[in-house]
Structures are given as C-alpha cells and as structure tokens.
Amino acid sequence: MRPNSQELKRKSSHDTEREFGGTLGAIGIPIFLPLTVLFLISTSRSPEASVLQWPPSLPSTDQLWDPLALVVLLCWIALHALLYLTPLGKVSEGLVLRDGTRLKYPINGFHGLCITGVLLMFLVGLGAPLGYLFELLLPLAVCAIAVSFLFSVYLYIRSFLAPSHALALGGNTGNPLYDFFIGRELNPRIGNFDLKYFCELRPGLIGWVVINLGMLMKEVELRGSPSLAMILVNSFQLLYVADALWNEEAVLTTMDIVHDGFGFMLVFGDLAWVPFTYSLQASFLVVHPQAISSFRAAIIIALNGLETIATATGKRLLVSGWWGLVRHPNYLGDLLMALAWSLPCGKTDFTGRG
C-alpha cells in the first residue's frame, strides 16, 4: 500500500539519521564539553600547563563564581543585541525556506565590532581594569555555560509553538534529549530578531577578541608591556574575527543557518566554546610568558598569511577537480592559522615539558 502524506511526513521528521552519537551523544556531550572548557582554562594557567598532569589542575569552588561575571555577561549580550538592532549596514535575504519564504538579516556585525572597539578604547582611556578579565575568566565561563543551558531550554519549549515547516528536519525526531541537543526550530525569532543568526557571530566571536585584549592588558599590569607573542596572538585572532564579520553575509548559506536547528549544540558552541577555548593561547601567555625573536615572529606571520586554493562558491557539493582531490582545502587554511596562533606560546609537549 502506498503511504499517505501524513506517514511520509512522520517518516521524514522522526526517522532521520541522528548525528553525534544519537541519544548517547546528546546526554554525554552537554556534560563533557562544559567540563572540558573549565578544565582547559584551569590547565592553561596552571604551572605545568599539561593536560596529562596528575592530579589534574581543577579549580576550587570559590574560583568558579563571581556575581560580577554574570552582570558582565548579561550586559555584554544586551549590548550586542542593541547593536544588532541598530540600522547600520544593509539587509540581506537568506535562502528560500520550505514554505517558499526568505528571511531578512541585518549585515551589521562588522559595525558592531568597530563600535565595540571604540567603546573599549574609551574604557581603557578611563583606566578601566580590563586585565581583571583574567581573574573573571572561569566565572564568566561558568555563567556562559549556565546561560547556554537555560537558553536551550527556552528554545526547546518555544519550538512546540512553531509550525511544522519551521522545524529543522534533523531536530524533530521525537526524542526529547536528542532534539534538545540538536535543536528543533530552524530559525527561532522574536519579531525580526533572529536568535540563531545573532548568536552565530556576535557575542561569542567578538567576546573572544575582548577576552584576548583583557589577557594583553593583564600582561601589561604584570610586566609593564605586552610581549611580542601576546601581540601576535591578539593580532592574528582579531584579523580572523574581523574577516568573519566583514564577510558576515556568507554565513547565510552555511549549514548552521540553512540546515541545523538551534539547540544546545549551537548555543553552547557560540556562547561558551568559542570565546573560552579559542582564547586559551592568550590566557596561557599571561602565566607562561614567551620570548620570541623577530625572525621567528616573521615565520609565524608568514604561516598565518598563507592562502589556500581558490574555489568557486556554489550551492552544490563539488566532487571533482581540486576540491574533489583535496576534499576540504579550506580546512588546511584553518589548520595553518591555528598552528600560527599556537606557535607564539612556545614548544611544549603534553606533559608540560618544554
């Protein structure tokens, strides 16, 4: 017997292939990754700075909470929500949705970065202790993790008010744990404010740059001036973030926006994982200063600036030519940049020995 439309709809939404280990991953990842963030921050500032040291470097409970951290985090998110709503830059349309509509998105992330930079320079000029971000880093990470969980609960609950065509195909399996993790609603919005698009490049990515700056200012407090290693890390990563925001419109065709629902996986990645793990090099350098020569710095700069193979962009998967041969040449660029970001931190093995 030929299945009717309701049966086909049920099959397409509930029988989709589950990613990240399915239910087991949906339980384990939200536990393991937040603990990993806190562990890596603690390890990066420990004397040994080794992920294999035993007993591991674990923070005390009083190091995990500071009410100021929650205030800073909420004010930071509110600031960028306000900048998101500022009528600067152009407005672009996303790809066509299943119901035939196209959502509109403000392309003003780079403006937000610039305004943030001006505000930070103003605060530094007033003598604001940005270096205190070093002491607040663990409490900020804890607050970001907590906000990620609470925000994800809100997103999961509100998804049941969304029409079926607004749900992500991979996040409507009927398994609450998996759907909470992967995300049920594709483009959750409050009015015209797109929650997923806002979180994708705004508070976390720009927050990463601000944390780096705080680590640089902490080094200035401790040693009188920033080291060349710290300057390189800040410069490389600022360039990376600025480039992402300058090309913000490109995110509208990415898997995150087009395919993935907005659940804990993306929320945690945007608000906690990116700002607090991508800033580990700067955090490490505060406690473990590195002296690098101009020659070595020149090599690292050259490595960071290497270009990858140029390819034409499109909506189809390229399986032939250079792309088919290399598979993912864009990953090579990211790997080279990540290596350049880490080389200023010196050569250390997993046991913490230089």
Side-chain angles (χ1 to χ4, degrees):
M1 177 182 292
R2 184 177 180 178
N4 59 38
S5 60
Q6 291 298 321
E7 289 173 334
L8 287 174
K9 185 182 295 184
R10 190 180 305 114
K11 179 178 178 61
S12 64
S13 61
H14 286 187
D15 295 343
T16 54
E17 181 181 352
R18 299 181 185 181
E19 304 174 287
F20 301 100
T23 303
L24 184 61
I27 295 173
I29 293 175
I31 297 173
F32 175 73
L33 285 189
L35 293 176
T36 299
V37 170
L38 301 179
F39 169 72
L40 290 176
I41 295 174
S42 299
T43 300
S44 70
R45 56 178 64 194
S46 67
E48 296 82 5
S50 169
V51 296
L52 298 182
Q53 68 187 70
W54 191 262
S57 176
L58 300 177
S60 60
T61 54
D62 62 319
Q63 293 177 302
L64 296 176
W65 171 247
D66 188 325
L68 178 60
L70 181 59
V71 174
V72 169
L73 178 65
L74 294 180
C75 289
W76 176 251
I77 294 173
L79 168 65
H80 282 279
L82 180 63
L83 293 176
Y84 176 97
L85 296 171
T86 303
L88 296 172
K90 64 179 181 178
V91 175
S92 295
E93 291 187 332
L95 299 182
V96 178
L97 301 175
R98 293 203 302 274
D99 64 350
T101 62
R102 300 178 71 176
L103 297 175
K104 294 183 177 181
Y105 300 88
I107 309 299
N108 58 9
F110 188 78
H111 297 82
L113 175 66
C114 293
I115 293 172
T116 300
V118 172
L119 291 175
L120 287 172
M121 287 190 289
F122 178 72
L123 290 174
V124 170
L126 291 178
L130 290 186
Y132 191 63
L133 282 175
F134 179 78
E135 282 75 18
L136 274 185
L137 201 56
L138 273 170
L140 279 171
V142 169
C143 291
I145 292 166
V147 168
S148 298
F149 274 104
L150 293 174
F151 189 31
S152 300
V153 170
Y154 162 75
L155 291 168
Y156 180 74
I157 293 173
R158 64 160 280 157
S159 70
F160 289 96
L161 302 176
S164 59
H165 64 76
L167 301 180
L169 293 178
N172 185 26
T173 66
N175 182 319
L177 292 172
Y178 182 78
D179 291 348
F180 167 83
F181 170 73
I182 211 72
R184 292 188 83 243
E185 193 172 356
L186 184 61
N187 301 293
R189 288 189 162 207
I190 300 176
N192 292 324
F193 193 101
D194 193 290
L195 297 171
K196 180 168 69 171
Y197 175 70
F198 166 72
C199 290
E200 186 75 12
L201 294 179
R202 309 297 181 101
L205 211 63
I206 301 176
W208 166 23
V209 171
V210 175
I211 290 173
N212 280 352
L213 177 61
M215 302 305 105
L216 184 148
M217 296 305 295
K218 185 63 178 180
E219 190 175 54
V220 171
E221 290 178 16
L222 294 174
R223 302 179 185 99
S225 63
S227 64
L228 179 55
M230 181 69 82
I231 292 172
L232 288 179
V233 168
N234 270 258
S235 301
F236 291 160
Q237 296 182 351
L238 173 60
L239 177 62
Y240 181 89
V241 171
D243 177 72
L245 292 167
W246 180 262
N247 297 287
E248 184 180 21
E249 192 172 7
V251 81
L252 300 181
T253 60
T254 60
M255 288 284 289
D256 286 1
I257 299 296
V258 175
H259 176 269
D260 295 335
F262 196 36
F264 180 82
M265 177 186 71
L266 287 181
V267 172
F268 172 79
D270 293 340
L271 300 183
W273 182 263
V274 166
F276 295 103
T277 64
Y278 286 27
S279 59
L280 285 171
Q281 291 96 339
S283 176
F284 172 89
L285 287 172
V286 172
V287 181
H288 306 276
Q290 303 291 318
I292 59 176
S293 66
S294 299
F295 176 72
R296 181 180 170 190
I299 294 176
I300 295 173
I301 292 171
L303 179 63
N304 186 75
L306 284 178
E307 295 181 0
T308 56
I309 301 169
T311 61
T313 59
K315 300 177 184 176
R316 294 171 180 254
L317 177 65
L318 300 177
V319 294
S320 60
W322 281 110
W323 193 273
L325 179 64
V326 185
R327 293 306 301 272
H328 294 294
N330 54 315
Y331 289 177
L332 176 61
D334 273 354
L335 290 172
L336 290 175
M337 285 189 294
L339 176 60
W341 298 348
S342 300
L343 286 175
C345 297
K347 179 181 177 295
T348 305
D349 61 27
F350 286 110
T351 64
R353 297 189 300 269

